[in-house]
Amino acid sequence: MQYLSKLNLLNFKNHENLELEFCPKINALVGKNGVGKTNVLDAVYYLSMCKSYINGVDKHNIRFDSGFFSIQGKFKHEKDSSTVLCSVKAGAKKVFKRNKVEYEKLADHIGLYPVVFISPYDGDLIAEGSEMRRKWMDGIISQIDKKYLENLMNYNRVVEQRNALLKQIHLGNQNTSELEIWDAPMEQLGEKIYERRLVFVDSFIPIFEKYYQTIGAETETVQMVYRSDFGKGAFTSLLQSNLRKDLAYQYSTVGIHKDDLLFSLNGNPVKKYGSQGQQKSYVIALRLAQYEYIAEICNQKPVLLLDDIFDKLDSTRILKLIDLVSSDFFGQVIITDTESERLELIFKERNAEFRIFDIHSLPIPHEKKIEEFKRTSDSQPLAEIIDRLFKVYNLEGKMKEMDVINAWPELMGIAVARRTKNIYIKGNTLHLEMDSSVMREELYNGKQIILERINQHAGKELITDIWFS
């Protein structure tokens, strides 16, 4: 069995320097909220998928007042081991290496170290738009089928070029006949992606149904339906009939980039009619089915990341989930919690191999400057020196600002965090750059609620206004 035996973090998010040695089965990260337990899980996800699960902009994961971060992991196999390194420097290209050899294409790494992340924000799979469900489906298939990932990346480039041409046509700089250059590969690649997604959904549904009956209620029936423009007949005709709309909107309004998965329970949309408990069971079943699907096809058990499940799930579902992941079918598990005694009791009762790690609170920035103050001000009490230092450098304000930025996914949900291109605080104003006009408008309409949520988290009136771009 392959598993992550060692993890080193340097300047990654709130972790200045962290080294952990994991066991092959259950690993628990314990500590107070805000100490960076989820950030450790995100680092493991980075080593598998070459990107953050929470924040897609690499530079935003660099620790405050640092110019770079690095994540290094050692994976043990049955007969040997391998080392994976990810390093990001502000203003430079991301570097990804396996056994000291740098990848030319990051896509070549995807699937070598499969991972499944169960997060308290997985409800976004149900609550948010179709893009979340497409990314979830693509993330699964990409870990087991490199050709699919290649086709998907090429398709996205074609759509990007077609959209750029639509803008030029709108400005009068190009003719509509030029679209034929991109329409043909869009159809060819789209057809391949559509067929692969059909195969995935068909084989995934029985596994999903099995896990829902385990986690949820045996009397309830779950359905998952794949909806695509490629199932509506000849795609060429569909492009032609939507040309006027494409020109008006200046982007491609049909294609596999508009596909969706329809989730239902007892014949009704789970988003609208499912209770909170049913929706939680639904998404956990989706994730567990994802684990089994990848494990069986790759003949390799993914690393399972469980974040904050004790605070977000009821005791019945928690125990069912723990019973499952403690079984021999599941491989390495990394879980977060605030109480070590609870975890120790649970896993001892199940005779599971486990290891508990105490993740400490954030280090105080500028420790060297504090030491200098101590040496030059022996006559002053240390508390007064540190208080003076915080005032001089406004460290308290800066720490609260960085805390808000690091907690953005927690405050607003992963769906919002993933659409946030840039976030920073200047004065008392929060500046947000979103990559979705729809999301930007929704956040603008909820501006007052966001202000209250941020200031409540900060414990003071840190932000008085929000600027959107």
Side-chain angles (χ1 to χ4, degrees), residues 21 56 66 184 285 289 315 319 458:
E21 293 191 14
S66 301
S315 58
L319 292 178

Side-chain angles (χ1 to χ4, degrees), residues 313-352:
L313 298 178
D314 60 80
S315 58
T316 302
R317 289 181 177 84
I318 288 171
L319 292 178
K320 286 182 178 180
L321 181 57
I322 293 298
D323 285 339
L324 281 170
V325 302
S326 300
S327 68
D328 292 336
F329 177 77
F330 285 82
Q332 187 176 41
V333 179
I334 307 177
I335 185 172
T336 67
D337 191 21
T338 55
E339 299 179 26
S340 59
E341 295 83 1
R342 171 169 59 191
L343 286 175
E344 188 171 356
L345 177 63
I346 287 174
F347 292 120
K348 276 185 176 179
E349 287 178 347
R350 287 156 180 80
N351 294 318

